[in-house]
Amino acid sequence: MPKVSKSAGALQWGEASDKSPITLKCTEEGWSSALLDGSGRGRFVMKVVVLRRASIMAGIAPADADISGDVFAEVGHCIYAHNLTWYGEGGIWNGTVDALPRKRLAPGEELHLRYIPKLQPELAVSLDGKTFTPVPAELKHANYVPCLSLLNSDVTVQIEDLGASHHIASEGRKLIPDRLWQDRRFTDCTVTCGSSEFHCHRAVL
């Protein structure tokens, strides 16, 4: 279940139970932000449903991020629901994402973001929760968690732990080579190329 682990600004929320969504509401003018904790395993899909307006930035940020300012200008990456463009650390603004229309999400519409930590971490976005398109960003390795910034907007949020989801089946197969490359504890052969040595798994070779 999603939980607010850190907030800044004027936000109100209720406690979610089981797999029910959590509702975040802005109570004053100005931007408010929240870090969410709902997966525990690093891989997750965040589903955001617009309730009021669409001045919403939905994305990921490190769990220890300072969210008192413009969080996505400093760390993390997000999709801006005002025009479905990509905004990220370093001030990247209005980056387009293939397959996303340039439109403003209306009340009742959904935005899905999927984060997969791997050799090259991936953030992908979808409007229907089925077909995901990668955000063209080079993500740094960090303990990313779901993050939202809202301006006079209300949303519901659900976090799906992909570690326990049927959606992870295909993604898990893609992650196996990354895990084998990163975890060298049980290698059983060595490939030598010039002065370089690579500890490998014979079953993969």
Side-chain angles (χ1 to χ4, degrees), residues 4-100:
V4 175
S5 58
K6 187 187 299 184
S7 67
L11 280 180
Q12 287 184 345
W13 63 87
E15 294 299 323
S17 59
D18 195 21
K19 295 184 179 180
S20 65
I22 186 172
T23 300
L24 297 176
K25 295 184 177 182
C26 281
T27 57
E28 296 179 8
E29 294 291 324
W31 285 93
S32 299
S33 299
L35 292 179
L36 302 174
D37 179 17
S39 65
R41 302 188 187 185
R43 301 184 294 253
F44 56 82
V45 169
M46 174 169 61
K47 174 185 176 182
V48 179
V49 180
V50 178
L51 299 181
R52 177 173 64 97
R53 296 188 59 174
S55 294
I56 300 160
M57 291 183 174
I60 57 173
D64 59 354
D66 177 5
I67 61 172
S68 59
D70 186 352
V71 55
F72 293 116
E74 302 295 333
V75 293
H77 300 270
C78 74
I79 297 296
Y80 187 31
H82 180 78
N83 54 11
L84 293 181
T85 53
W86 159 53
Y87 183 45
E89 57 191 53
I92 301 167
W93 179 246
N94 279 352
T96 58
V97 179
D98 292 341
L100 283 188

Side-chain angles (χ1 to χ4, degrees), residues 52-197:
R52 177 173 64 97
R53 296 188 59 174
S55 294
I56 300 160
M57 291 183 174
I60 57 173
D64 59 354
D66 177 5
I67 61 172
S68 59
D70 186 352
V71 55
F72 293 116
E74 302 295 333
V75 293
H77 300 270
C78 74
I79 297 296
Y80 187 31
H82 180 78
N83 54 11
L84 293 181
T85 53
W86 159 53
Y87 183 45
E89 57 191 53
I92 301 167
W93 179 246
N94 279 352
T96 58
V97 179
D98 292 341
L100 283 188
R102 296 292 292 269
K103 58 169 281 186
R104 180 172 186 162
L105 289 185
E109 292 189 301
E110 302 176 358
L111 182 66
H112 303 253
L113 289 112
R114 182 185 66 196
Y115 173 66
I116 304 289
K118 49 185 181 179
L119 197 60
Q120 177 56 58
E122 179 186 274
L123 177 66
V125 60
S126 171
L127 296 182
D128 60 11
K130 299 176 182 178
T131 304
F132 284 83
T133 301
V135 173
E138 284 194 23
L139 274 64
K140 300 175 181 177
H141 287 274
N143 180 24
Y144 286 114
V145 296
C147 183
L148 285 166
S149 287
L150 310 176
L151 175 64
N152 306 325
S153 302
D154 300 340
V155 299
T156 64
V157 184
Q158 280 182 289
I159 309 295
E160 180 182 12
D161 178 4
L162 290 181
S165 166
H166 64 279
H167 293 300
I168 197 59
S170 61
E171 292 299 330
R173 288 191 291 271
K174 296 177 185 177
L175 285 171
I176 288 175
D178 291 341
R179 291 174 182 160
L180 290 174
W181 179 255
Q182 292 172 331
D183 188 352
R184 309 295 180 87
R185 289 178 298 173
F186 303 110
T187 57
D188 54 8
C189 68
T190 301
V191 175
T192 302
C193 181
S195 60
S196 300
E197 290 187 348

